[in-house]
Structures are given as C-alpha cells and as structure tokens.
Amino acid sequence: MSVTGSVLICDDDAAIRTVVTQALRRAGHRVTAAASLTDLKREMRAGLPDVVVTDVILPDGNGLDLVATLTGENPDLPVIVLSAQNTLATAVRATEAGAFDYLPKPFDLDALTTTVASALSRGRRLVDDVAASEDHAVALIGRSPAMQEVYRVIARVVSNELTVLITGESGTGKELVAQAIHDLGPRRRAPFVALNMAAIPRELIEAELFGHEKGAFTGAAARVAGKFEQASGGTLFLDEIGDMPMEAQTRLLRVLQSGEFTTVGGARAIRADVRIVAATNKDLMSQVMAGAFREDLFYRLNVVPIALPALRERRQDIRLLARHFLDRAVEDGLPRKAIGDEAIAALEAHDWPGNVRELENLMRRMAALHRDEWIDADAVRRMLGESAASQPTARDEGIEAAVIARLQRIAIEEPKVLEDGTLYDRIIGEVERPLIEAMLARHGQNQLRAARALGINRNTLRKRLDTLGIDVGGRQDDLP
C-alpha cells in the first residue's frame, strides 16, 4: 500500500497548481495550494504539511531561500524543488538548501508523484548540505532531460566520498563532470589532479600513479611523487580507465581496498587521501567479459555511475551550447558572431561524432574564420564539410573504436577465434571489404580507377575481389 500524506504545493502558475493538485489527490494525498511565498508561509502557520513542493521563481521571492529556512526550522520536512532554470547550479543550490529532491520543468507528473511518495516514506531529505558557493561558475551546459538527470546525480554525489564512474563517448564532457564534482564538494580547496591512461606508456603508468623512489629504475635520478600524492586531500581523476594495463589495475584495486599505497621501489605505506573519479568511453563490462578489465575493480569504481549522453541524443541543447561557445570565443579575443535559427537547425541536423568538443571547435573556427558577423546555414554546412575533410584523426579514432568493439564481440561470441590463428585475416577482411566496395562505388565499378585510389595495382585488386567474393556486376572494362 502506498504512503499518503498532506502536501503543500507553491507555484505562481495556476495551471501547474491545478494539474499537480489533481495528480496528487488522485494518488490519495491531501493537497493545499499556494501562489506565493506569502501564501505558503500562511499555510505553514495553519498547519505543518508532510511534504512541501515549491517553485524557485515566485512573485515575492526565491523559493530556494525558503527551502533553507524550512529545512532549518523543520529538519524532517521534505521539500521538493521545481524549477524552469534547468542548470547544474540550480540543482546544486537546491541540495545546498537541503531540498529532498529537485525536478526540472517541464516535469513528468508520474515522476513528481513517485518523488512525493518517496519523501513520505523516508521522512527526510536525501542529501546533506554541500559547501559550494552559490556563485560558482559551472561549465556544464544543457537543459535537455538527459542533462537534467546528470545534474541530479551530480548534486546528490558532491557532498559524499563515493567513487564515481563517468561513461560516455569522447567529447561529451567527462572531465567537466569530474571537475564539477570536485569544485562543488568539500575537497574543492585541495588539488584536482587528472591522469589520462591512454596518454601514458604502459610501463610508466604505475610510476605516474604512485610515484617512484630514487634508483627504482633506470633514469630514476630522484624521488618523484605520483598522482596519488599530488592529489592528497583532493580528487584524482583517472581518465580513460579502460586503457589501464592489468598489472596497474591490480595495484589500483589494492589501494581502493586498503586505502594505502607504496611508491615504485618503496617500502613505506602511504595513506591515499583522495576521492577517485574515473571515466571511460569504453564498455567496461564488455572488457570484463573479454578478460581485459578486472571485474572486482569495475565494481569498486562503479559505485555511482554517471552516463553522459552523446550530443546527438540531446540536440535541443545545441542552441545553448553554440551561443555559449561563440560568447566564450569573444572572451578569448576572437570577433563576435551572431547565429540565426536556420544555422542552428543545420547544426542540429549534424550527427556530431566528436560530440560537444567537436561543436566547440566548430564555433571557434567560425568566430576566427567566417568573414561576416552573421553565421547562416550555408556557412555552417560549408564549415562542417571542411571540418570532416580535414580531421583524419577523428576518423582514425572512430576506426580504432570500431575494431576494439569488434574484438570484444568476437571474444564474447566466438572466443575460439582468438586462439585458432585466423583473427588477423578475419579482422583485415572485415575492414578491407567495405573499403574496396566503397572505392568501386565511388568510381562507378571501374576497377582500374578504384585500384589507383587504393594505391594498389589492378591485378592485386582483382585477386582481393575473388578472395573476398565481391561481385562487380560482371563489368570487364577498366578504361581510365
């Protein structure tokens, strides 16, 4: 049986008051409505409700200010905050004030009903106050439902010491999330130290993490503190954790279990006073199943998961992001540019394989290279085309990710292929077939032209067509 109780709803929008009142009454609650802070305070004097639901912007004040007062005077009173100011700062300020939960507008009535029931069941707020300043500049931007969920998780996790694992494609802003967790939490006055596992040679990762003693290995002329010591008291951000070699995974797991580490070549145990935030663009569970990542370490890291959406999954944020990046370009000394609705639509139609990072780079190039003050749709499409043609690195990363993903699927679905000596030919064939087919299609099935484009001779191409069983439609002419 669901828990019911008395709910006081405060919102200056009569339609919202009516809809919320009806929904909560259908759920069995007793509901009183107020249109202002003055009305809410009057209702509170008449009788303390079991739950308060309040908007932030009200005709006679800010609802967040009231939340702090209400929770200060009534610590067990759950207050649920509604807001159309859908930013991370609002979510964090709501938790700072002691709100039980925060729901961005437009909100789902079922979600509100569930949250009210949860508040009645638990009897007090979910999170404690966090010591972040109200005017802290947060770099995360977006009002889409997907980003609102990210904000809510961040707001709940900043005040505790739980390990966080951030997942998402490259360019989605994983380091920004890690930085926000640090900057808004109690460790914000201590260092934030980041280490990208993919950027460090495998043989040096342990020394980078834990430091080394003088003479620990060839070239170790002096003792060097590792990232754990450098981040003492603060946050250690382990980016691209999926690229950590197995031996380093074992040592990291030992640190997470014991809270201590030793330097390379050292014998004295050192306390690890850091909060760990890790991130990856890989599917760690697939890596666990493939034997490339320790299962016990995965569960140690995945205490609080935060999944960042790809930009194509939150296209409604593109307008905000594009204008933000243009404004920031001006701060960096680039010319001011304005962008219209048709240009925004062109941006929204793009798939953004490089995600927010790709959009930021595009806006900076627009600010620097576009001659007119006004950015139109043609300029966007032209710049996107030039960008795609001039970024082989982004394509290479995409190919690498595809190969890794294919290897992971083979390891799970056909593990014998990894041992029977056919893996190389299997993968080369899978990559070679679409490449040859694409070149043939590009050159109208003309084998000579396709061979020239591929950089091989015609006979070699014909042999590969036979080996791969590629049908060229019976064409025999190879005229240049």
Side-chain angles (χ1 to χ4, degrees), residues 354-471:
N355 291 294
V356 178
R357 184 185 298 124
E358 181 185 358
L359 176 60
E360 179 178 12
N361 291 340
L362 181 76
M363 291 298 98
R364 290 187 69 84
R365 285 197 300 277
M366 281 286 189
L369 303 177
H370 186 58
R371 294 179 179 178
D372 299 329
E373 183 179 342
W374 183 260
I375 298 173
D376 59 18
D378 288 341
V380 167
R381 285 189 284 265
R382 183 169 57 253
M383 191 70 77
L384 282 171
E386 293 173 359
S387 175
S390 63
Q391 293 187 28
T393 301
R395 291 197 299 274
D396 291 346
E397 290 175 354
I399 291 172
E400 179 184 358
V403 170
I404 291 172
R406 184 67 183 119
L407 287 173
Q408 290 172 349
R409 286 197 299 273
I410 289 174
I412 295 169
E413 299 168 6
E414 307 171 69
K416 290 183 179 179
V417 175
L418 300 179
E419 303 173 2
D420 63 9
T422 65
L423 180 62
Y424 180 83
D425 289 338
R426 172 79 169 269
I427 295 296
I428 291 299
E430 291 183 3
V431 173
E432 189 178 22
R433 172 184 288 276
L435 175 61
I436 291 176
E437 289 177 339
M439 285 299 99
L440 285 168
R442 182 180 181 88
H443 294 283
Q445 304 301 313
N446 185 304
Q447 295 175 33
L448 182 57
R449 290 176 180 170
R452 286 174 176 171
L454 290 165
I456 59 179
N457 64 50
R458 181 174 54 185
N459 290 334
T460 300
L461 176 59
R462 284 176 171 172
K463 289 178 182 178
R464 298 312 298 159
L465 292 175
D466 290 340
T467 301
L468 297 169
I470 297 176
D471 182 14

Side-chain angles (χ1 to χ4, degrees), residues 139-185:
L140 292 169
I141 293 173
R143 297 183 179 178
S144 61
M147 286 305 294
Q148 293 305 309
E149 184 58 32
V150 171
Y151 296 162
R152 292 174 69 189
V153 176
I154 293 174
R156 286 178 172 145
V157 81
V158 290
S159 62
N160 57 53
E161 295 291 296
L162 297 177
T163 302
V164 177
L165 178 62
I166 307 167
T167 58
E169 297 178 8
S170 294
T172 50
K174 295 186 287 294
E175 185 164 355
L176 289 178
V177 171
Q179 186 76 59
I181 291 171
H182 172 78
D183 291 347
L184 297 169

Side-chain angles (χ1 to χ4, degrees), residues 124-137:
R124 65 174 293 116
R125 63 181 184 257
L126 286 173
V127 296
D128 296 326
D129 294 350
V130 297
S133 61
E134 293 185 359
D135 60 351
H136 179 81

Side-chain angles (χ1 to χ4, degrees), residues 90-402:
T90 304
V92 170
R93 287 189 61 204
T95 61
E96 286 175 357
F100 177 85
D101 207 343
Y102 159 80
L103 294 177
K105 291 182 177 181
F107 54 85
D108 182 80
L109 282 174
D110 289 338
L112 176 59
T113 303
T114 300
T115 303
V116 169
S118 178
L120 288 166
S121 298
R122 299 185 194 181
R124 65 174 293 116
R125 63 181 184 257
L126 286 173
V127 296
D128 296 326
D129 294 350
V130 297
S133 61
E134 293 185 359
D135 60 351
H136 179 81
V138 179
L140 292 169
I141 293 173
R143 297 183 179 178
S144 61
M147 286 305 294
Q148 293 305 309
E149 184 58 32
V150 171
Y151 296 162
R152 292 174 69 189
V153 176
I154 293 174
R156 286 178 172 145
V157 81
V158 290
S159 62
N160 57 53
E161 295 291 296
L162 297 177
T163 302
V164 177
L165 178 62
I166 307 167
T167 58
E169 297 178 8
S170 294
T172 50
K174 295 186 287 294
E175 185 164 355
L176 289 178
V177 171
Q179 186 76 59
I181 291 171
H182 172 78
D183 291 347
L184 297 169
R187 291 178 176 265
R188 68 191 183 282
R189 292 187 177 88
F192 174 85
V193 176
L195 179 64
N196 187 323
M197 297 296 168
I200 305 296
R202 296 172 65 88
E203 63 274 13
L204 297 180
I205 282 183
E206 289 189 50
E208 284 285 336
L209 276 172
F210 308 111
H212 62 78
E213 300 298 322
K214 180 180 179 180
F217 49 82
T218 302
R223 184 187 188 278
V224 175
K227 301 303 182 186
F228 268 93
E229 283 188 81
Q230 295 172 27
S232 182
T235 301
L236 177 58
F237 175 51
L238 302 177
D239 199 6
E240 305 297 353
I241 191 73
D243 290 303
M244 176 179 268
M246 190 62 73
E247 57 273 17
Q249 291 180 33
T250 301
R251 287 201 65 178
L252 177 60
L253 177 65
R254 194 175 304 125
V255 175
L256 294 177
Q257 290 173 333
S258 68
E260 294 180 336
F261 67 94
T262 57
T263 59
V264 175
R268 180 177 63 89
I270 302 172
R271 180 170 173 265
D273 180 19
V274 298
R275 179 181 191 166
I276 298 292
V277 179
T280 181
N281 62 2
K282 298 182 178 179
D283 183 346
L284 286 190
M285 183 49 72
S286 293
Q287 287 193 276
V288 168
M289 297 176 70
F293 200 85
R294 293 189 60 125
E295 183 176 14
D296 42 9
L297 178 58
F298 170 74
Y299 288 115
R300 282 280 182 175
L301 295 172
N302 197 41
V303 178
V304 179
I306 298 179
L308 291 187
L311 186 54
R312 61 183 174 275
E313 296 169 354
R314 56 179 188 113
R315 295 180 191 271
Q316 67 199 80
D317 290 335
I318 289 175
R319 179 185 299 270
L320 283 174
L321 288 164
R323 289 178 172 162
H324 167 75
F325 292 139
L326 288 175
D327 289 341
R328 200 159 76 180
V330 174
E331 295 174 4
D332 293 339
L334 293 172
R336 179 173 295 280
K337 306 291 182 182
I339 187 166
D341 290 343
E342 291 184 359
I344 293 294
L347 293 174
E348 292 172 343
H350 186 58
D351 278 342
W352 300 108
N355 291 294
V356 178
R357 184 185 298 124
E358 181 185 358
L359 176 60
E360 179 178 12
N361 291 340
L362 181 76
M363 291 298 98
R364 290 187 69 84
R365 285 197 300 277
M366 281 286 189
L369 303 177
H370 186 58
R371 294 179 179 178
D372 299 329
E373 183 179 342
W374 183 260
I375 298 173
D376 59 18
D378 288 341
V380 167
R381 285 189 284 265
R382 183 169 57 253
M383 191 70 77
L384 282 171
E386 293 173 359
S387 175
S390 63
Q391 293 187 28
T393 301
R395 291 197 299 274
D396 291 346
E397 290 175 354
I399 291 172
E400 179 184 358

